[in-house]
Amino acid sequence: MLILTRKIGDSIWINDEIEIIITEVKGDQVKIGINAPRTIEILRGELRTEVSNANTEALSTKLPNFKNT
Amino acid sequence: MNIQTAFLGEIEIDESQTLTFEHGLPGFDDEHQFTIIPLEDDGVYQVLQSVQTPHVAFITVNPFAFTNYSFDLDESTLHSLSITSEDDVAILSIVTVKEPFSESTLNLKAPIVLNMKLKKAKQTIIEKSDFPLRHPISLGKG
């Protein structure tokens, strides 16, 4: 993993189209601004993890008994 | 071609109907090719079966048969699936199957969006919504 040290107001560019700006640091919280085209999907990591967990849980091992409702 | 499936043994699939998930699904990032196997004649239930990995298979449903559900597709989904017309879009929800089946849940937060024309699909996450990850299937239409 690439790790960069930045200060408030500093930014990082990815691929000439995504700009990530460190806007505020307070205690253990960091506020990050992202400028990106609307075609780029931006997600909080924990939300993706929740969906990943839900998918793993949904992995079926047998066909459901639909009649048993 | 023939593939091994999670529930139905070896089956023959039409490769032209294989769906491409360019980035896989969350938790299954390396699974890029899936096929849809209809389970009943009513078009409500189907298996979303990985072409590569037999045990990777999800029960999916047409969510609109179970709940009043609507959302806007975001730009990134439209772009990544090259969607140009609503007519080409289909939506599936992954079911977490429980015993009895009436206790199963639907994932309404992260539906599978398909471009049926181009056979491209992705699991999109509707971030700005209160849709649950586990919506009881038995609630039916509200």
Side-chain angles (χ1 to χ4, degrees):
Chain A
M1 191 197 305
L2 172 68
I3 295 175
L4 302 169
T5 302
R6 306 274 60 202
K7 292 193 179 79
I8 291 168
D10 286 354
S11 72
I12 294 164
W13 279 83
I14 299 171
N15 226 8
D16 284 338
E17 56 176 357
I18 301 166
E19 185 187 19
I20 296 172
I21 308 160
I22 309 303
T23 60
E24 191 183 314
V25 178
K26 208 158 61 179
D28 61 358
Q29 280 201 323
V30 181
K31 274 193 182 163
I32 294 171
I34 302 169
N35 283 317
R38 286 162 57 86
T39 51
I40 299 284
E41 184 174 31
I42 299 166
L43 277 179
R44 289 175 181 78
E46 66 271 25
L47 184 56
R48 200 176 193 281
T49 302
E50 279 177 29
V51 172
S52 172
N53 291 343
N55 283 346
T56 304
E57 184 188 328
L59 206 63
S60 283
T61 52
K62 57 173 185 160
L63 278 181
N65 180 4
F66 299 115
K67 306 291 178 268
N68 191 5
T69 53
Chain B
M1 79 179 199
N2 287 1
I3 63 162
Q4 291 293 334
T5 66
F7 322 110
L8 304 165
E10 185 173 314
I11 63 161
E12 186 177 0
I13 60 162
D14 177 353
E15 277 175 273
S16 69
Q17 297 301 310
T18 299
L19 296 165
T20 299
F21 286 69
E22 192 182 355
H23 303 290
L25 288 79
F28 298 88
D29 303 68
D30 295 327
E31 301 290 340
H32 301 293
Q33 304 291 328
F34 283 82
T35 192
I36 289 179
I37 309 166
L39 282 177
E40 311 229 311
D41 293 335
D42 55 12
V44 174
Y45 296 98
Q46 46 273 307
V47 179
L48 183 66
Q49 169 70 54
S50 165
V51 171
Q52 301 136 264
T53 314
H55 79 270
V56 175
F58 303 97
I59 303 294
T60 63
V61 294
N62 168 6
F64 306 107
F66 292 92
T67 177
N68 293 316
Y69 184 45
S70 83
F71 55 89
D72 290 322
L73 292 173
D74 59 52
E75 288 271 345
S76 67
T77 301
L78 295 175
H79 179 77
S80 64
L81 299 180
S82 311
I83 292 168
T84 53
S85 165
E86 197 178 321
D87 298 336
D88 301 332
V89 176
I91 306 291
L92 294 175
S93 292
I94 293 179
V95 183
T96 301
V97 175
K98 299 275 163 96
E99 193 69 46
F101 187 69
S102 57
E103 287 176 14
S104 301
T105 60
L106 307 182
N107 183 345
L108 299 181
K109 183 80 176 175
I112 310 280
V113 180
L114 309 100
N115 181 338
M116 295 308 287
K117 194 167 154 194
L118 299 178
K119 304 297 169 200
K120 294 167 81 171
K122 70 171 284 184
Q123 185 174 25
T124 195
I125 300 175
I126 311 171
E127 193 169 14
K128 292 183 192 119
S129 79
D130 294 327
F131 294 134
L133 273 168
R134 294 171 185 83
H135 174 84
I137 205 166
S138 56
L139 279 187
K141 296 208 178 200

